[in-house]
Amino acid sequence: TMPSLEVEELYVAASDSVAEGDAILKVTDASYTAVKTYLEQAVESAKLTLKQAEIDRTLAKTTAENTYKSNSSQAELAQEAYDNTIKKLANAVTNAKKELTEAKESISSYTKAINNDTYYTDYKIATLKKTVTSKQKTVDTLTSKIEKLEAAGVTATTSPAGDASSEQTSTSDDASKLASYKTQLSAAEQELSAAEQAYEQAYEKYETALTQAKSELAKLQSQLSSLQLSYDEAVTNQKKGKLEAQATLDEALVTANNASTLYDIDLDGIDDDVTSATESLKSAEEQLANFNAL
């Protein structure tokens, strides 16, 4: 509250006439100083209020402009986010479908290979087995021939000198055959051994491949329901995600379209506080000027 002036002395009486500019009273120095100080402080306070109102207006305007820029860019950013979301959802469906399809194809392939025993053919088990049988037959035939000649007393060397010429020739032919048969038998046994080894190695690989195929088939069959569930979930998420993404996009588009209107709303009345503070300062300055003119 503004302090009051205290009269120290009156210069005129109630019945006296006065002209403009004539002194009619004297106030105390203390009350004069108090009022003057009050009015000066009121001016300074009004100046500070105006300055703060101007700062607040600048901040409000900057905020409104930033909001406007942000809202205006919502459409582009939201469209990009929408496209990324749709692409991500589609990729999830594609990947899930690919895994499910590959699993089904592998199950079909393994099942067919196991049922038709294609691994038996792939590792040429029948051919190798036939080769072993053929080599064994050759060994058996040569062994039989050798046993017959040896049973007849034929050896792999010629008879001593002094035997009859015809008998010596016959014995020499049989001995030559026997030596030849033994040479062939040795080679045939080596071939038989190699054929048996090849067969055993191939058969071992065949059994390993068959076991692995059955194991993979069982594994894929156990995963099939999970893969089907993942695919179904991806499809469901795609449908739900599209709706949510579209709603977000629509909301952003509305915000972008209303950016200008929202900006105008933010700026509405932004000068009111400055105007009010300016008027208050003007009033305080006028009061101080009028007081100083007394």
Side-chain angles (χ1 to χ4, degrees):
T1 303
M2 185 176 71
S4 300
L5 291 171
E6 297 179 4
V7 178
E8 181 179 345
E9 182 181 356
L10 288 173
Y11 295 135
V12 294
S15 60
D16 293 341
S17 299
V18 295
E20 183 178 354
D22 291 341
I24 60 175
L25 58 83
K26 178 183 178 182
V27 297
T28 63
D29 290 340
S31 65
Y32 178 85
T33 300
V35 173
K36 182 178 177 64
T37 300
Y38 173 83
L39 293 175
E40 288 174 343
Q41 290 177 345
V43 170
E44 293 302 319
S45 178
K47 287 181 179 179
L48 291 175
T49 300
L50 175 59
K51 185 175 182 180
Q52 185 61 52
E54 290 173 341
I55 292 173
D56 292 342
R57 180 179 63 181
T58 300
L59 290 175
K61 187 174 182 180
T62 300
T63 300
E65 289 173 349
N66 291 336
T67 301
Y68 172 76
K69 292 177 181 178
S70 176
N71 290 339
S72 298
S73 64
Q74 286 297 312
E76 182 178 353
L77 295 176
Q79 184 64 55
E80 182 178 354
Y82 173 83
D83 294 340
N84 290 336
T85 298
I86 297 302
K87 183 178 180 181
K88 183 178 180 181
L89 292 170
N91 287 339
V93 172
T94 299
N95 292 335
K97 184 178 181 180
K98 180 181 179 182
E99 291 181 359
L100 178 61
T101 301
E102 289 178 349
K104 288 182 177 180
E105 291 176 350
S106 295
I107 288 174
S108 177
S109 177
Y110 280 126
T111 300
K112 183 178 180 180
I114 292 171
N115 292 339
N116 296 335
D117 206 5
T118 57
Y119 302 104
Y120 193 86
T121 302
D122 293 341
Y123 288 98
K124 303 178 181 179
I125 303 302
T127 300
L128 293 173
K129 186 175 183 180
K130 184 177 180 180
T131 300
V132 170
T133 301
S134 176
K135 297 298 182 183
Q136 183 65 59
K137 184 176 181 181
T138 299
V139 169
D140 292 342
T141 300
L142 291 171
T143 299
S144 177
K145 289 180 179 180
I146 292 172
E147 289 175 349
K148 287 181 179 180
L149 289 174
E150 289 179 341
V154 178
T155 62
T157 58
T158 57
S159 299
D163 291 343
S165 177
S166 59
E167 183 180 349
Q168 184 177 2
T169 301
S170 175
T171 301
S172 176
D173 290 342
D174 290 340
S176 179
K177 288 181 179 180
L178 180 58
S180 176
Y181 289 156
K182 286 186 174 182
T183 299
Q184 293 177 38
L185 177 61
S186 178
E189 287 175 338
Q190 291 179 359
E191 292 177 0
L192 174 60
S193 178
E196 289 175 337
Q197 184 177 3
Y199 172 76
E200 290 172 357
Q201 291 176 347
Y203 196 84
E204 182 178 350
K205 292 179 180 179
Y206 154 71
E207 287 187 322
T208 300
L210 183 59
T211 299
Q212 290 179 344
K214 291 180 178 179
S215 176
E216 285 297 320
L217 176 59
K219 179 180 177 181
L220 289 170
Q221 288 174 332
S222 67
Q223 295 176 343
L224 190 60
S225 59
S226 176
L227 293 173
Q228 182 66 56
L229 179 61
S230 296
Y231 171 70
D232 293 340
E233 288 180 348
V235 172
T236 300
N237 291 337
Q238 184 184 42
K239 294 178 181 178
K240 181 180 178 182
K242 281 184 176 180
L243 294 176
E244 293 176 348
Q246 186 63 55
T248 301
L249 176 61
D250 292 343
E251 182 179 353
L253 292 176
V254 170
T255 300
N257 292 334
N258 293 334
S260 181
T261 300
L262 294 173
Y263 177 72
D264 292 339
I265 293 175
D266 289 338
L267 292 184
D268 185 35
I270 197 171
D271 293 323
D272 290 351
D273 289 344
V274 173
T275 300
S276 176
T278 300
E279 292 175 352
S280 296
L281 175 59
K282 182 179 180 181
S283 176
E285 289 175 337
E286 288 178 351
Q287 288 182 19
L288 178 60
N290 291 336
F291 180 81
N292 289 330
L294 292 176

